[in-house]
Amino acid sequence: MPLDFFYPLGEEPIKDSVIDLLPDGYKLAAVIFSPFFKMPDGWKSPDGPSDEEVYQFADRVSWKEVQIRTRFDRIADVSIGITAYVTGGCGINIYKRMDLFEKIQKAIHPEVFFPNEDQFSVLLIDDILKVLTSKGATKILYNKLIEGEGEFELKELTLDQKLFLCSGPMFLMDEHKEFGFTCYFDEVSMVFFTKEDDFNCFKGTAFEGVYLEKETPIIWENHQVTYFHYNRT
């Protein structure tokens, strides 16, 4: 079943509504944050933790916790600060806030790592798969931006395959194409969209992010959104 790579940038990402850019039939969208993370006490590596080490040993640190540590008024300021870190303060004006990055760095350093950019978080891949299989799918479809498309049988999915799905800009869907997850370059979050009328599929996950309103663009930080944070337990 062919699957083209999709990410809702639009021609003017600071203005174009994400929901208006979705393929036909999809009703709702959300931005899901890649968590900060903390390695176990005593862990050391000159090169930083690998994706496998993060998957196996790291603890999630929410953006809300970072917001509290930095005393930012808005979760959007955490997003702007992280994007300034990822881009070096280059690009559009909203993300040229190295002052916000520096406040985050000071608040979390040295025990907490910034989210990995340009990929799905390995700390959320199991939750992504849980959502994709929530309506009975037995396989997932993927399109890795540079390497192309493929599919995996979920009952045979290995750790290496999970890590592959977190190895670069990627688009994922279930075989019935009810749900989609996508991420892109210079991003520390992913976009989710669905044909459902609600976000009940998020229950039992650790997803944190913002629901996008009808007019919200992909650069959402100065627009109307609703924050959410689910708990697996």
Side-chain angles (χ1 to χ4, degrees):
M1 187 181 298
L3 184 70
D4 295 329
F5 183 85
F6 171 77
Y7 189 82
L9 275 176
E11 294 183 2
E12 296 186 81
I14 202 166
K15 295 180 180 180
D16 294 342
S17 162
V18 169
I19 291 177
D20 286 346
L21 294 169
L22 298 179
D24 291 344
Y26 294 92
K27 302 175 182 179
L28 300 177
V31 171
I32 300 172
F33 306 150
S34 295
F36 292 75
F37 58 93
K38 184 180 184 300
M39 298 303 290
D41 292 342
W43 182 91
K44 292 183 179 179
S45 171
D47 302 320
S50 66
D51 280 351
E52 183 172 354
E53 290 173 314
V54 174
Y55 179 87
Q56 292 181 330
F57 304 118
D59 291 323
R60 298 182 306 277
V61 177
S62 72
W63 288 30
K64 177 59 72 173
E65 181 176 339
V66 172
Q67 181 189 354
I68 292 169
R69 290 193 190 194
T70 54
R71 300 184 180 179
F72 289 160
D73 293 331
R74 310 180 306 153
I75 201 75
D77 290 333
V78 180
S79 179
I80 293 168
I82 300 173
T83 306
Y85 157 73
V86 170
T87 63
C90 300
I92 65 173
N93 286 334
I94 190 175
Y95 297 133
K96 294 181 178 180
R97 294 292 306 274
M98 294 303 289
D99 60 312
L100 297 181
F101 155 63
E102 290 165 2
K103 288 180 180 178
I104 295 173
Q105 187 179 45
K106 183 181 292 186
I108 68 172
H109 189 76
E111 75 275 17
V112 175
F113 290 86
F114 274 77
N116 291 328
E117 70 269 18
D118 306 344
Q119 64 178 68
F120 295 130
S121 169
V122 297
L123 293 171
L124 296 180
I125 188 61
D126 287 332
D127 289 336
I128 292 170
L129 296 173
K130 180 177 181 178
V131 170
L132 290 173
T133 59
S134 62
K135 295 194 74 175
T138 60
K139 65 178 65 175
I140 57 167
L141 315 176
Y142 69 82
N143 191 311
K144 189 172 182 182
L145 181 59
I146 296 174
E147 298 179 24
E149 63 183 312
E151 63 181 49
F152 288 139
E153 293 283 346
L154 287 162
K155 66 180 179 180
E156 301 172 354
L157 206 62
T158 66
L159 176 56
D160 284 345
Q161 289 171 327
K162 290 181 181 180
L163 296 178
F164 168 79
L165 295 175
C166 301
S167 62
M170 189 86 66
F171 179 36
L172 297 179
M173 298 193 99
D174 62 290
E175 62 183 309
H176 307 304
K177 297 188 175 181
E178 296 285 341
F179 309 108
F181 292 88
T182 185
C183 61
Y184 199 60
F185 293 113
D186 294 337
E187 296 286 349
V188 286
S189 57
M190 57 185 168
V191 177
F192 168 81
F193 53 94
T194 178
K195 294 179 179 178
E196 300 285 282
D197 294 319
D198 53 45
F199 291 96
N200 285 338
C201 59
F202 284 3
K203 292 178 180 179
T205 72
F207 289 161
E208 178 192 24
V210 291
Y211 301 126
L212 302 182
E213 305 296 336
K214 173 63 178 174
E215 303 301 325
T216 313
I218 196 66
I219 299 174
W220 57 268
E221 287 86 352
N222 288 333
H223 293 263
Q224 178 67 36
V225 293
T226 301
Y227 170 81
F228 64 84
H229 192 186
Y230 287 80
N231 194 314
R232 282 180 182 155
T233 58

